[in-house]
Amino acid sequence: KENLVPGYPSVREKEHLQETFGCHVGKEAAQQILQQENSLVGKESEISVMFVDVRNFTDHSSKHTPQEVVAALNVFFTKAVEIIEDHDGMVNKFLGDGFMALFGIGDDQGNHAARAVDAGLAMLECLKGACDELEQAGWCDFRIGIGLNTGPAIIGSIGSPKRQEYTAIGDTVNVAARVEALTKSLGHYFIITEATRKHLPEEMPLVPLPPQKVKGKTYHLKVFAFAASVLDESEVGEPAS
């Protein structure tokens, strides 16, 4: 029944608010935030963090209208969000021409590294099938880079009492961002860290890359790319810087 008490939202209004809220922060994030009762709290959990970045964004933006750029991005983001959520992940935030996704958030914590890998491979495969849609949107050579890392992070609502954001912070997140940046210089679409590799089946065909120096680390980071038997990069073009 409708709530008829003056000053209080009706059941229908509450449902609409939650649905709209979920569209802006993600359904899983909305659920976690509501469970926290709007308090500034965070807890440490082991998760897998993925960063995705669109290649040649600056160059493409300089040659197309903002409307055309947004139209193409929305084609990709629509497909990407569906894939991430189908693999029990959460797109935590959009970063202009990319996004950060979290795996291992919520009740189902198991096997998040493998699910994140499957999601990344599914996104690359999806781009092959979305060529016509992206070409119609004016971006026929649409490419992405994906970086993935696994480890502990602080997850929860962070900010001030007046303005909060549900997100993950910590070294695991920072390294994931650095690894995504390596896809440009190393010439691979999808790179994972050794920390993620340890959570995957031994038989998964991964190629060790030369250890990389990344910002904020005193040691060289061990990273891996997928073998051609898993990811046929010849079908999706060469990674662009």
Side-chain angles (χ1 to χ4, degrees), residues 195-206:
T196 297
R197 176 70 181 97
K198 291 178 179 179
H199 290 267
L200 304 176
E202 285 295 328
E203 62 273 16
M204 181 167 284
L206 287 157

Side-chain angles (χ1 to χ4, degrees), residues 31 57 78 123 150 159 192 222:
Q31 183 179 2
F57 180 78
T78 298
M123 272 191 288
T150 299
I192 69 172
K222 293 182 179 179

Side-chain angles (χ1 to χ4, degrees), residues 58-222:
T58 302
D59 180 65
H60 182 84
S61 299
S62 67
K63 301 173 183 176
H64 296 78
T65 67
Q67 292 79 7
E68 290 173 331
V69 173
V70 171
L73 285 176
N74 284 341
V75 170
F76 169 64
F77 286 151
T78 298
K79 296 179 181 297
V81 169
E82 182 177 352
I83 289 172
I84 296 295
E85 293 184 348
D86 283 347
H87 290 82
D88 299 321
M90 176 182 75
V91 174
N92 181 241
K93 62 178 72 177
F94 290 101
L95 305 167
D97 59 335
F99 62 83
M100 179 176 86
L102 308 176
F103 295 81
I105 305 296
D107 297 330
D108 183 11
Q109 300 287 334
N111 208 26
H112 48 78
R115 288 188 276 110
V117 165
D118 289 344
L121 294 174
M123 272 191 288
L124 292 173
E125 184 67 26
C126 178
L127 284 180
K128 300 177 187 177
C131 290
D132 289 342
E133 293 177 68
L134 290 167
E135 186 174 357
Q136 291 175 4
W139 203 332
C140 58
D141 58 343
F142 195 96
R143 301 286 182 265
I144 61 173
I146 305 172
L148 180 64
N149 185 36
T150 299
I154 303 298
I155 306 158
S157 293
I158 298 165
S160 77
K162 292 184 177 181
R163 179 67 173 87
Q164 302 173 23
E165 178 183 23
Y166 184 86
T167 190
I169 61 173
D171 186 62
T172 297
V173 179
N174 297 338
V175 170
R178 306 284 187 239
V179 171
E180 186 283 314
L182 290 175
T183 62
K184 301 176 183 179
S185 58
L186 297 180
H188 291 274
Y189 287 115
F190 193 179
I191 295 178
I192 69 172
T193 63
E194 183 181 34
T196 297
R197 176 70 181 97
K198 291 178 179 179
H199 290 267
L200 304 176
E202 285 295 328
E203 62 273 16
M204 181 167 284
L206 287 157
V207 178
L209 302 175
Q212 299 293 310
K213 182 72 172 90
V214 297
K215 183 179 179 181
K217 291 296 179 185
T218 58
Y219 58 89
H220 284 67
L221 192 68
K222 293 182 179 179

